């Protein structure tokens, strides 16, 4: 399932001890359900992500906090369970091997580390966890070049250090390249469309739709209605003061686009 979450500016002002849960299916719970495509499980099998946080720093109540809690389990995380596993008891690397992927809102440079080596190392670690054979450099480059072409990322970027000298749009496309090759069970995309041109946004939509068809669940954070309409999410949620204030469908996103966050909140209270 795909979930679109849009956060208000006041989400940065919530009081401490706030508890947030989420879900792509059930209002008020942040959990994503999706069809499994591994092992002997049938296509109707579902895995759930269940999260609960307690924040000590109200200023950090943003989508970045959500992604950081899921991937690293920092001090404000109280409980994060995925597929029956306790993520807080796992290292970030183990969580990635379990099938989690979180994109950077502002992807950093990693000087001295070649992009193709970086992605192949990550991919082979995930393949090992799945019980699959590792890819050698030749096979990996064939897949990576094909994926880069589909995403509009110049092939030359594969041989350069990670994001070194990349434009904002190229960095986001490089995130998409990792997503396409890793094929995670759950992906959280935090403003993946920022800095993207029209073709880049279309690449996001095409990739998300392709991976959803293969069983990947998505949590997408965006401020742009056009992207959300193109993604056709299963649920839309408005975040306010670190909590899910409202849950709906595309009509909710369109209402916020017309009236703004403040008027949307006032209408709910009325």
């Amino acid at each position: 399932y795909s979930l679109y979450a849009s956060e208000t500016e006041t989400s940065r002002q919530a009081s401490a001890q706030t508890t947030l849960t989420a879900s792509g299916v059930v209002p008020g719970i942040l959990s994503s359900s999706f069809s499994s495509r591994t092992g002997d499980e049938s296509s109707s099998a579902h895995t759930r992500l269940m999260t609960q946080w307690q924040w000590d720093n109200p200023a950090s109540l943003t989508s970045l906090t959500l992604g950081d809690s899921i991937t690293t389990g920092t001090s404000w995380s109280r409980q994060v369970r995925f597929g029956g596993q306790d993520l807080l008891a796992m290292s970030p690397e183990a969580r990635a091997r379990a099938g989690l992927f979180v994109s950077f809102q502002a992807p950093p440079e990693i000087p001295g580390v070649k992009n193709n080596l970086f992605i192949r190392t990550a991919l082979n670690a995930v393949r090992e966890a799945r019980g699959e054979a590792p890819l050698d450099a030749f096979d990996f480059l064939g897949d990576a070049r094909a994926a880069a072409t589909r995403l509009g990322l110049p092939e030359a970027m594969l041989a350069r250090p990670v994001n070194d000298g990349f434009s904002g749009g190229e960095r986001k496309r490089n995130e998409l390249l990792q997503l396409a090759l890793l094929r995670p069970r759950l992906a959280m995309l935090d403003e993946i469309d920022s800095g993207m041109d029209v073709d880049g946004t279309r690449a996001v939509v095409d990739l998300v739709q392709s991976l959803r068809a293969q069983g990947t669940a998505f949590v997408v954070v965006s401020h742009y209605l056009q992207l959300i309409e193109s993604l056709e999410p299963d649920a839309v949620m408005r975040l306010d003061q670190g909590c899910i204030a409202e849950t709906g469908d595309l009509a909710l996103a369109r209402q916020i686009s017309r009236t703004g966050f403040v008027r949307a909140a006032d209408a709910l209270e009325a």
Side-chain angles (χ1 to χ4, degrees):
Y1 291 86
S2 177
L3 163 68
Y4 160 57
S6 184
E7 59 180 348
T8 68
E9 289 301 318
T10 54
S11 66
R12 302 173 184 273
Q13 303 172 0
S15 61
Q17 310 300 313
T18 299
T19 299
L20 169 67
T21 55
S23 175
V25 184
V26 182
I29 300 177
L30 178 52
S31 132
S32 291
S33 298
F34 58 96
S35 297
S36 174
R37 54 178 173 78
T38 59
D40 297 326
E41 298 171 312
S42 68
S43 60
S44 62
H46 288 81
T47 301
R48 296 178 65 82
L49 167 73
M50 301 181 62
T51 57
Q52 186 177 53
W53 298 270
Q54 176 174 313
W55 285 286
D56 297 320
N57 181 5
S60 66
L61 297 181
T62 66
S63 56
L64 290 175
T65 306
L66 172 59
D68 198 24
S69 297
I70 292 173
T71 54
T72 64
T74 49
S75 59
W76 52 76
S77 300
R78 300 177 66 181
Q79 183 181 29
V80 182
R81 298 191 64 83
F82 178 65
Q85 296 177 288
D86 180 8
L87 295 188
L88 296 187
M90 303 163 63
S91 67
E93 294 83 1
R95 299 176 199 193
R97 293 188 182 100
L100 298 182
F101 177 92
V102 177
S103 70
F104 280 100
Q105 191 177 110
E109 297 180 5
I110 309 179
V113 179
K114 283 193 174 182
N115 205 25
N116 53 18
L117 178 61
F118 172 76
I119 300 176
R120 182 163 70 94
T121 300
L123 176 58
N124 279 338
V126 171
R127 289 178 64 89
E128 180 183 11
R130 295 173 182 164
E132 301 172 356
L135 292 179
D136 59 27
F138 181 81
D139 290 336
F140 168 77
L141 283 175
D143 293 344
R145 287 167 177 162
T149 298
R150 290 193 298 270
L151 295 169
L153 184 69
E155 184 180 316
M157 299 296 187
L158 294 173
R160 290 171 55 176
V162 179
N163 295 328
D164 188 16
F166 290 22
S167 67
E170 289 168 342
R171 293 186 183 208
K172 290 303 180 73
R173 280 184 167 88
N174 201 35
E175 295 285 284
L176 294 178
L177 176 62
Q178 297 168 48
L179 173 62
L181 294 172
L182 291 171
R183 295 185 299 113
R185 298 168 65 191
L186 170 67
M188 179 177 175
L189 307 183
D190 189 1
E191 297 190 30
I192 189 66
D193 52 328
S194 64
M196 286 282 205
D197 57 18
V198 174
D199 291 336
T201 302
R202 172 49 56 186
V204 172
V205 173
D206 290 345
L207 179 58
V208 169
Q209 290 177 340
S210 175
L211 291 178
R212 284 181 71 187
Q214 299 176 53
T216 297
F218 284 86
V219 176
V220 178
V221 178
S222 177
H223 298 286
Y224 298 103
L225 177 63
Q226 183 178 359
L227 174 68
I228 301 310
E229 289 181 325
S230 299
L231 290 177
E232 299 180 343
D234 300 290
V236 174
M237 296 183 181
R238 178 174 63 85
L239 306 183
D240 187 8
Q241 299 190 35
C243 297
I244 297 174
E246 195 171 359
T247 302
D249 54 19
L250 278 174
L252 174 58
R254 290 166 179 152
Q255 175 191 342
I256 294 173
S257 180
R258 290 193 307 270
T259 65
F261 286 115
V262 175
R263 291 185 179 180
D266 291 344
L268 181 62
E269 292 176 0

